[in-house]
Amino acid sequence: MKIIRAKDYYDMSRKAANIISAQVIMKPNAVLGLATGGTPVGTYKQLIEWYNKGDIDFSSVTTINLDEYRGLPRDHEQSYWYFMHENFFNFVNVQEENIFVPDGANPDSEAACKAYDQVIHKAGGIDLQLLGIGTDGHIGFNEPGSAFELETHCVDLTDETIKSNQRFFGEGEEVPKQAYTMGIKTIMQARKVLMVANGEDKAEILKKAFEGPVTPAVQASILQMHPDFTLVADEAALSLLDL
Ligand code: PGA
């Protein structure tokens, strides 16, 4: 694995955007695996800026998002479909028919997850998968203890994740208790994986994930085994690593 040290959030976002940009320049019809959460927002902002300058073209790119809440329709303000449009898709020229997010409105988990795996296989797999990391080490919605062998599946969210995501929902509005997520197997099959992380509150989990043993208890630790994994993190997030 490669660790790229960034000064701060802005620097992390620019470095990550540079890597994504390089991927799209090298392969204009790249398949990008994308992520939600607070961390990648700055990366999307930077990509939008370069798109506006005419430096990057997404017209042939396919995007496949990691996960979606089960039970939320696309137009729900907290759906990841909505988040991706608000933070990225509405501002660049990714073609709507090339945008994929698991179908949270489909109550048939088995069918929804199978259909999503088919989307990924049909696209020829993911060229570059962008990831954040939860404070418990989750990637996508793969919570501690999940089997590494899974493709897209339905998960019960942990109390920690529900609590952490409550900040995005309105007062009294319930966070869904389940989600559809790409599995670790799907993520590990991406040809390149890029993780962004910033801030002190990610320091402990980065230490565990990347300087500790590979274990399902820390889902992100499996990325130590990925042949092309890059972590771009700021000083604060890297502060506990020995490097
Ligand atoms: P965050 O979430 O980027 O909002 O910290 C990361 C995650 O839970 O994957």
Side-chain angles (χ1 to χ4, degrees):
M1 64 178 280
K2 216 176 291 158
I3 297 179
I4 297 179
R5 184 182 282 270
K7 284 195 292 285
D8 49 26
Y9 180 74
Y10 179 68
D11 189 31
M12 175 207 77
S13 301
R14 279 177 66 89
K15 283 180 161 65
N18 260 303
I19 293 170
I20 295 169
S21 174
Q23 171 69 66
V24 174
I25 290 168
M26 298 293 282
K27 187 177 176 189
N29 63 346
V31 178
L32 300 179
L34 297 181
T36 53
T39 318
V41 169
T43 305
Y44 296 139
K45 241 189 197 152
Q46 184 60 72
L47 289 170
I48 293 166
E49 205 179 302
W50 288 333
Y51 167 75
N52 286 332
K53 280 189 180 161
D55 288 341
I56 182 164
D57 173 19
F58 295 96
S59 62
S60 304
V61 163
T62 294
T63 68
I64 302 186
N65 260 79
L66 277 173
D67 47 15
E68 179 61 282
Y69 288 114
R70 177 171 186 250
L72 294 194
R74 283 177 170 187
D75 58 358
H76 189 287
E77 279 186 25
Q78 294 310 327
S79 79
Y80 286 170
W81 173 275
Y82 195 92
F83 177 99
M84 287 306 300
H85 281 76
E86 288 286 293
N87 286 285
F88 189 48
F89 298 143
N90 288 346
F91 306 99
V92 295
N93 64 339
V94 182
Q95 304 298 298
E96 201 60 35
E97 66 268 23
N98 294 338
I99 292 173
F100 297 95
V101 179
D103 182 6
N106 185 350
D108 182 342
S109 342
E110 209 168 302
C113 295
K114 203 164 158 203
Y116 209 59
D117 284 334
Q118 278 166 357
V119 163
I120 298 167
H121 294 147
K122 206 169 142 210
I126 292 163
D127 289 305
L128 172 64
Q129 177 65 55
L130 177 65
L131 296 176
I133 182 169
T135 49
D136 61 1
H138 71 228
I139 47 180
F141 268 130
N142 295 287
E143 302 283 16
S146 309
F148 283 151
E149 292 82 11
L150 294 170
E151 293 186 273
T152 307
H153 60 290
C154 182
V155 293
D156 296 328
L157 303 181
T158 61
D159 291 343
E160 184 170 345
T161 300
I162 293 172
K163 217 163 92 198
S164 157
N165 290 2
Q166 183 69 58
R167 66 198 147 121
F168 301 115
F169 285 75
E171 224 173 288
E173 204 181 354
E174 250 190 59
V175 183
K177 304 229 171 339
Q178 287 186 313
Y180 299 142
T181 184
M182 281 186 200
I184 295 295
K185 180 173 173 185
T186 329
I187 293 169
M188 287 299 281
Q189 282 173 344
R191 288 179 273 281
K192 281 179 199 292
V193 178
L194 169 64
M195 176 181 282
V196 283
N198 75 293
E200 240 182 294
D201 60 331
K202 296 290 166 72
E204 217 165 289
I205 193 61
L206 289 189
K207 169 89 181 161
K208 267 196 210 160
F210 303 123
E211 288 184 351
V214 174
T215 164
V218 183
Q219 293 276 299
S221 64
I222 188 73
L223 294 167
Q224 294 180 39
M225 317 288 284
H226 192 281
D228 192 347
F229 169 56
T230 303
L231 166 66
V232 181
D234 73 348
E235 303 270 357
L238 292 176
S239 58
L240 296 179
L241 271 79
D242 297 329
L243 295 173

